[in-house]
Amino acid sequence: MSELTNVSVIGAGTMGSGIAHVFALGGYDVNLVDSSKDSLEKALSSIKNNLGKQVKKETITAEESDNSLARIRFETNIGSVDNSQLVIEAVYEKKEVKEKILKELDSLCPRETVLATNTSSISISELALVTNRSDKVIGMHFFNPVPVMQLVEIIKGRSTSGETFLFIKSVVERLGKIPVEVNDSPGFISNRLLMPMINEAVFALMENVSSAEDIDQVMKLGMKHPMGPLALADFIGLDVCLNIMEVLQEGFNNDKYSPCPLLQKKVAAGELGRKTGVGFYDYS
Ligand SMILES: NC(=O)c1ccc[n+]([C@@H]2O[C@H](COP(=O)([O-])OP(=O)(O)OC[C@H]3O[C@@H](n4cnc5c(N)ncnc54)[C@H](O)[C@@H]3O)[C@@H](O)[C@H]2O)c1
C-alpha cells in the first residue's frame, strides 16, 4: 500500500472532529467532510479548543497546534475525498446512512483506498457488502474523547484482507494509540459490555431505585469507574446509546438487549445528553 499522507473523515460530529484532530496532529493532511455547515463550524471550534488545552498542558507546542489546524480542510463536498488513501466514516449510527455513504465513497475513491468505519456496533461484513472492495473495508473504532483515549478497536469483517488489517494497525500505532484486534460481532467488545450496563442503569433510574447522582456514585465509588453510567451516556449521546442497543437486540436476536423505555423517551424528546444541553443531567 502507498504511504499514507491524506486522510478523509466523513462526519464532523463528536467523533469525526476528534479523529480529524489526532490525524492532523500526527502530521497527516485531513479532509473533514460533513453535509452540515453548522457541524463543520462546531468542529473547527472544538478542535481549536482541544488543541488549546493540549498547549496549556504543555503536551504540544503552540506551533504544533497551529500547524495541525492548518492541515485540516473543512468540506461540505464529499467529492473532495478522491485523493485520500484512507477514508474514515463517522456519521450517525444508522446502518442505512452508513451504507449510503460507503457506496458513494466506493464510487469516488481510487481502488486502493481503504474505507474504514467508526461504527460502534454495526456489522463490518454487512457494511462491506455495499462496496466493490470488501477486502479494503474495516472497522476502526475510536473512543471519546479521541485525543485523550488510547484504545482503538480494529474490527475485521469476513472479507477484510490481512494487508488492510496490518495497514490500519500500523496507522493506529503511529498515532500513538493502542489497537485491539476484534472479530466482527454486534457491539464488538466495548459496546457489548458497556451498553447493557448503561441500559440497566437507565432501568434502575426509571424504576426509581435511586437518583441519577446516586446510581452514578455507586459505580464510581464502588467499582472505581471514572464516570458513572448515566453521566457517561450523556457524554456519548443518548441517541448513539439507543442505536447501539437496537443493533445488539437485532444482531443477537435477544430481548435481553431491549432498550429501556426511558432511554427511548429521552431520545424522542431530543434530550440527547451533553450535545443538546440536557440528558440525565442538565448542562445549561
Ligand atoms: N459518541 C461517542 O462516544 C462514540 C464513540 C465511538 C464511536 N461512535 C460512533 O461514531 C459515529 C459518529 O458518532 P458521533 O457521536 O460523532 O455522532 P454525531 O451525531 O456527533 O455526528 C454525526 C455527524 O455526521 C454528520 N452526517 C450525517 N449524515 C451525513 C452525511 N450523509 N454526509 C456527511 N455528514 C453526515 C452529521 O451532520 C453530524 O455532524 C457513530 O457511528 C457512533 O456510533 C460514537
Side-chain angles (χ1 to χ4, degrees), residues 13-15 34-35 39 91 93 98 101 118 120 141-142 236:
T14 311
M15 295 306 289
D34 201 293
S35 46
S39 288
V91 301
E93 187 74 355
K98 291 191 183 292
I101 295 277
N118 186 51
S120 302
H141 185 209
F142 288 86
I236 293 169

Side-chain angles (χ1 to χ4, degrees), residues 120-187:
S120 302
S121 57
I122 302 170
S123 164
I124 306 303
S125 311
E126 287 177 25
L127 289 175
L129 289 177
V130 302
T131 72
N132 290 311
R133 62 179 85 196
S134 51
D135 58 317
K136 291 197 169 352
V137 177
I138 192 160
M140 202 177 182
H141 185 209
F142 288 86
F143 289 77
N144 184 18
V146 182
V148 175
M149 301 296 274
Q150 274 198 298
L151 177 68
V152 180
E153 279 183 310
I154 304 181
I155 305 105
K156 294 180 303 181
R158 259 191 308 277
S159 311
T160 308
S161 70
E163 189 190 13
T164 301
F165 172 76
L166 290 176
F167 169 67
I168 292 299
K169 184 168 178 266
S170 78
V171 169
V172 167
E173 286 168 344
R174 265 184 278 142
L175 290 175
K177 305 224 174 266
I178 298 172
V180 168
E181 180 179 349
V182 185
N183 290 320
D184 199 12
S185 176

Side-chain angles (χ1 to χ4, degrees), residues 81-106:
V81 298
D82 57 357
N83 64 349
S84 294
Q85 297 100 340
L86 168 63
V87 182
I88 304 170
E89 165 289 302
V91 301
Y92 302 129
E93 187 74 355
K94 282 278 175 203
K95 194 169 178 218
E96 56 282 10
V97 179
K98 291 191 183 292
E99 281 176 342
K100 189 167 171 275
I101 295 277
L102 286 169
K103 208 170 182 175
E104 206 171 350
L105 291 173
D106 190 44

